């Protein structure tokens, strides 16, 4: 058989396998969420396990320590933030009529004078509505818990998924070297070197982005929380933590956090100082993120443009739901490396370079 034809058949066969795996992934996406979550966390935590193993800690013990540490950290974060966010959300709802009155007093006259727009909100109606429905809102948690008790099957499924994540994560971290070794054994020998180079490129892109972005998120959460607290914002901790966590989504994290901070500052009804403080903190935060944290911790050579990140999250979320959001960035990293390979092949192809002159010496 012609070697070029054999190569084309081999490429077509691999493309067919990839399409079949994609179709299988789409069909199984409703049950893949705990496995995808565990895979993402295992990938992030693997360097910590390798660090412990290098210091002669048995790998099972290292895996168990890392999982326990990550679980305790997440549990502590939830126990600190959940009650605080709940209490402060109630306080925000109570102050909502004051915000409406502030808008009517300061914004409405400007709109009327400059644009001839009659903008008036009924603060009394909102105040009355909140007073009438406050008791029912306070009873919302018992109602939700009652519904969860009635939906026992759904609750059991959710609990099973939560407990499945650390189990899957343990086995993935424990067997990670064997998984990589098994992958190398099934790759055809002529394709081994190139395939492993592509896999290493994907790992480099993904590790720099995920682990670097995680560091940026944590540092910005601390910065915004402390900065907003110094600026006198009463809801500094939840707004700062939410802003830092949402930074993972470019532009949306900064914009959403700024909006929350502005609303919180307006509800304090303390005039311009909190608003000026919010503007200073978010301005400094954007400068620190853009010129210090992201270039140093994430790196500019990754090639994942912020717009590409947003598109990937939305596209994979639309196609595969929550699981698609989890695998959007790994898939984007793989696609990015693949596109680089295609670009290199194109720039060195005879179609792009053209046929060499007839009198050219043989290469």
């Amino acid at each position: 058989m012609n070697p070029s034809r054999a190569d084309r058949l081999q490429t077509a066969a691999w493309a067919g396998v990839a399409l079949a795996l994609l179709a299988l992934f789409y069909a199984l996406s409703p049950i893949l969420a705990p496995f995808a979550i565990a895979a993402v966390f295992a990938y992030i935590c693997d360097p910590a396990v390798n660090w412990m193993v290098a210091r002669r800690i048995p790998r099972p013990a290292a895996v168990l320590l890392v999982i326990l540490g990550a679980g305790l950290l997440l549990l502590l974060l939830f126990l600190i933030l959940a009650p605080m966010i709940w209490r402060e959300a109630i306080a925000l709802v109570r102050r909502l009529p004051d915000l409406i009155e502030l808008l009517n007093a300061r914004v409405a006259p400007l709109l009327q004078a400059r644009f001839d727009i009659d903008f008036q909100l009924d603060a009394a109606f909102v105040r009355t509505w909140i007073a009438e429905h406050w008791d029912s809102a306070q009873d919302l948690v018992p109602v939700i818990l009652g519904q969860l008790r009635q939906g026992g099957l759904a609750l059991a499924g959710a609990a099973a998924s939560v407990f499945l994540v650390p189990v899957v994560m343990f086995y993935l971290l424990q067997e990670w070297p064997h998984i990589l070794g098994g992958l190398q054994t099934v790759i055809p020998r002529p394709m081994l070197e190139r395939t492993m180079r592509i896999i290493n490129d994907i790992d480099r892109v993904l590790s720099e982005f995920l682990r670097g972005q995680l560091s940026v998120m944590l540092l910005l959460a601390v910065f915004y929380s402390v900065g907003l607290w110094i600026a006198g914002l009463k809801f500094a901790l939840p707004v700062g933590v939410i802003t830092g966590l949402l930074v993972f989504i470019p532009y949306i994290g900064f914009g959403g956090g700024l909006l929350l901070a502005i609303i919180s500052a307006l509800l304090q009804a303390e005039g311009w100082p909190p608003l000026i403080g919010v503007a200073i903190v978010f301005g400094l935060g954007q400068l620190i993120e853009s010129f210090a944290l992201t270039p140093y911790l994430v790196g500019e050579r990754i090639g994942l443009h912020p717009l590409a990140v947003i598109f990937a999250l939305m596209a994979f979320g639309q196609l595969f739901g929550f699981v698609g959001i989890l695998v959007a960035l790994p898939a984007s990293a793989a696609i990015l490396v693949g596109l680089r390979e295609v670009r290199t092949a194109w720039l060195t192809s005879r179609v792009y370079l053209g046929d060499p002159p007839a009198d050219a010496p043989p290469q």
Side-chain angles (χ1 to χ4, degrees):
M1 182 181 292
N2 191 330
S4 61
R5 184 180 179 186
D7 291 341
R8 288 196 296 270
L9 289 175
Q10 190 177 61
T11 302
W14 281 108
V17 170
L19 290 175
L21 290 176
L22 188 62
L24 181 64
F25 180 83
Y26 180 80
L28 296 178
S29 58
I31 65 170
L32 289 180
F35 297 93
I37 295 172
V40 171
F41 276 102
Y43 183 83
I44 294 173
C45 295
D46 184 61
V49 174
N50 293 335
W51 183 85
M52 291 185 179
V53 171
R55 281 148 183 81
R56 298 185 178 181
I57 298 177
R59 190 170 185 89
V63 171
L64 189 60
L65 288 174
V66 169
I67 292 177
L68 289 176
L72 289 175
L73 182 62
L74 292 175
L75 180 61
L76 181 64
L77 186 65
F78 175 79
L79 292 177
I80 291 174
L81 286 181
M84 185 175 299
I85 292 175
W86 174 257
R87 290 195 305 267
E88 295 181 352
I90 293 175
L92 284 173
V93 172
R94 284 177 172 170
R95 298 292 301 274
L96 186 59
D98 298 332
L99 175 60
I100 294 176
E101 291 178 352
L102 182 65
L103 291 175
N104 289 337
R106 298 186 179 182
V107 178
L110 294 176
L111 294 176
Q112 180 70 36
R114 297 190 178 185
F115 304 102
D116 196 23
I117 297 176
D118 186 13
F119 177 81
Q120 287 289 332
L121 297 175
D122 192 349
F125 171 78
V126 174
R127 196 182 301 275
T128 303
W129 186 89
I130 291 175
E132 292 177 351
H133 295 82
W134 187 253
D135 292 336
S136 59
Q138 293 285 79
D139 296 334
L140 185 60
V141 173
V143 171
I144 293 176
L145 294 177
Q147 292 295 325
L148 289 176
R149 283 195 296 268
Q150 293 178 8
L153 186 60
L155 182 61
S161 297
V162 170
F163 286 107
L164 186 60
V165 169
V167 174
V168 175
M169 186 177 170
F170 178 85
Y171 284 108
L172 285 176
L173 286 171
Q174 171 68 17
E175 302 297 329
W176 202 267
H178 301 291
I179 293 173
L180 295 179
L183 179 63
Q184 293 186 35
T185 60
V186 300
I187 299 174
R189 299 299 94 180
M191 301 174 60
L192 178 61
E193 181 179 355
R194 183 179 182 185
T195 302
M196 293 309 300
R197 177 174 59 80
I198 292 174
I199 291 176
N200 290 331
D201 287 343
I202 294 173
D203 176 69
R204 179 185 59 80
V205 171
L206 192 57
S207 62
E208 287 183 1
F209 186 85
L210 284 181
R211 292 164 190 150
Q213 191 65 52
L214 182 62
S215 301
V216 172
M217 290 162 56
L218 294 176
L219 290 174
L220 286 178
V222 173
F223 169 80
Y224 282 118
S225 299
V226 174
L228 293 174
W229 174 70
I230 294 175
L233 199 69
K234 294 181 179 178
F235 306 127
L237 182 59
V239 172
V241 171
I242 291 173
T243 303
L245 295 180
L246 288 179
V247 165
F248 189 78
I249 307 175
Y251 308 123
I252 296 176
F254 176 81
L258 179 60
L259 181 61
L260 286 174
I262 290 175
I263 293 174
S264 299
L266 289 174
L267 288 173
Q268 290 183 200
E270 296 178 2
W272 287 104
L275 288 171
I276 295 174
V278 166
I280 293 173
V281 169
F282 274 82
L284 289 175
Q286 186 66 12
L287 291 175
I288 293 172
E289 178 189 356
S290 301
F291 296 101
L293 294 181
T294 298
Y296 179 72
L297 295 175
V298 180
E300 296 178 351
R301 61 186 182 276
I302 294 176
L304 286 175
H305 192 276
L307 291 179
V309 173
I310 294 175
F311 178 81
L313 290 171
M314 294 180 65
F316 280 86
Q318 176 67 28
L319 291 174
F320 304 107
F322 179 68
V323 177
I325 295 175
L326 291 174
V327 302
L329 292 177
S332 299
I335 293 172
L336 174 66
V337 174
L339 290 176
R340 289 176 181 172
E341 292 291 320
V342 172
R343 181 178 182 274
T344 302
W346 167 250
L347 293 178
T348 57
S349 68
R350 179 169 295 182
V351 176
Y352 179 80
L353 298 175
D355 293 325
D359 57 349
Q363 298 292 329

